[in-house]
């Protein structure tokens, strides 16, 4: 009986330690990249000893890849339910441009909240920025699990919003430009803050995206 009583507390403590290591690793890998970040720096930032990194992640590479998987998991938590609705709806051949526009607004709003919300988003952003600037194995995980399916989904919606008024290449380009406008706000947060005074205008960003989507709908 005594050991079972202690197990939940120990489990929670283990999960908290693992999460703290991941947060620290996202920052250190984001600041210096995989090659420059050291396990000592990560352990010091997480306030754990070096063996804890090996215990939870098997070493530096395992921790690095776990960071990418953590970002993917966060994306699925924040955007996954909308993406599932979009996937189901795209199976309907009779979707109208207005219906496609409504789904695209939902998808882009969910993505904006995932990318621009405060808190742990800043840690994710550091890591993603580094992978974009200097791609490593984590880049392939992020591309396969996030960027490629996200672009494909947005592009198909855009094509339907346009009522067949653009080909596949144009739809994908429009999708990339729309998604890049959000990542650009994240990456250029300091510039945005100086230009408009407040970089954290999530509602305004979503409203502007909605305007852009509505402008795509061709008159019947």
């Amino acid at each position: 009986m005594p050991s079972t009583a202690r197990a939940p507390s120990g489990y929670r403590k283990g999960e908290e330690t693992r999460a703290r290591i991941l947060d620290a690793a996202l920052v250190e890998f984001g600041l210096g990249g995989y090659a420059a970040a050291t396990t000592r720096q990560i352990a010091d930032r997480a306030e754990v000893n070096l063996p804890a990194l090996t215990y939870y992640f098997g070493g530096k590479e395992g921790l690095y890849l776990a960071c990418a998987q953590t970002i993917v998991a966060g994306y699925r938590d924040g955007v996954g339910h909308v993406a599932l609705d979009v996937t189901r709806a795209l199976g309907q051949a009779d979707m109208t441009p207005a219906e496609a526009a409504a789904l695209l607004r939902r998808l882009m709003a969910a993505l904006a909240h995932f990318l621009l919300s405060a808190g742990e988003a800043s840690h994710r952003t550091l890591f993603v920025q580094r992978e974009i600037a200097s791609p490593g194995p984590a880049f392939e995980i992020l591309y396969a699990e996030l960027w490629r399916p996200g672009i494909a989904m947005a592009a198909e919606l855009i094509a339907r919003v346009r009522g067949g008024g653009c080909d596949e290449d144009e739809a994908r380009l429009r999708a990339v430009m729309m998604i890049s406008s959000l990542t650009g706000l994240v990456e250029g947060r300091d510039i945005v803050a100086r230009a408009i005074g407040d970089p954290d205008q999530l509602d305004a960003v979503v409203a502007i995206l909605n305007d852009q989507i509505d402008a795509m709908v061709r008159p019947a």
Side-chain angles (χ1 to χ4, degrees):
M1 288 294 295
S3 60
T4 18
R6 286 194 300 268
S9 176
Y11 177 78
R12 285 195 300 271
K13 184 176 180 181
E15 286 298 296
E16 290 167 2
T17 301
R18 188 179 188 279
R20 199 163 67 246
I21 294 170
L22 276 170
D23 282 345
L26 284 167
V27 175
E28 293 296 337
F29 286 137
L31 290 172
Y34 179 78
T38 68
T39 52
R40 168 58 67 190
Q41 290 169 332
I42 294 168
D44 288 348
R45 183 179 288 275
E47 298 181 343
V48 299
N49 55 34
L50 279 172
L53 271 64
T54 304
Y55 175 78
Y56 287 104
F57 300 100
K60 182 179 176 179
E61 183 175 358
L63 177 55
Y64 167 72
L65 296 177
C67 285
Q69 295 293 357
T70 296
I71 293 171
V72 170
Y75 170 83
R76 288 174 178 163
D77 286 345
V79 184
H81 65 292
V82 178
L84 184 59
D85 288 346
V86 170
T87 300
R88 288 171 177 162
L90 286 172
Q92 304 170 12
D94 59 346
M95 182 189 297
T96 67
E99 290 169 339
L103 284 169
L104 185 57
R105 285 195 296 269
R106 281 188 62 199
L107 181 63
M108 295 307 298
L111 184 59
H113 279 83
F114 171 72
L115 290 172
L116 301 177
S117 294
E120 65 180 35
S122 60
H123 295 180
R124 294 193 302 252
T125 300
L126 278 172
F127 188 92
V128 171
Q129 285 175 332
R130 177 62 62 174
E131 287 305 306
I132 291 172
S134 181
F139 177 90
E140 297 304 325
I141 294 174
L142 296 173
Y143 181 77
E145 300 291 337
L146 301 185
W147 295 320
R148 183 173 64 195
I151 290 168
M153 189 176 299
E156 189 165 353
L157 284 173
I158 287 169
R160 298 205 187 191
V161 169
R162 300 281 290 170
C166 64
D167 60 23
E168 183 179 347
D169 287 343
E170 181 185 339
R172 284 182 174 272
L173 183 56
R174 285 179 178 271
V176 168
M177 291 178 68
M178 187 171 287
I179 293 169
S180 296
S181 69
L182 291 176
T183 57
L185 285 175
V186 177
E187 293 166 12
R189 187 175 292 271
D190 291 342
I191 295 172
V192 174
R194 293 189 67 175
I196 66 174
D198 179 9
D200 300 315
Q201 298 192 40
L202 184 54
D203 291 341
V205 168
V206 171
I208 291 169
L209 282 171
N210 289 343
D211 288 344
Q212 292 175 347
I213 294 166
D214 289 342
M216 290 183 196
V217 181
R218 288 175 175 270

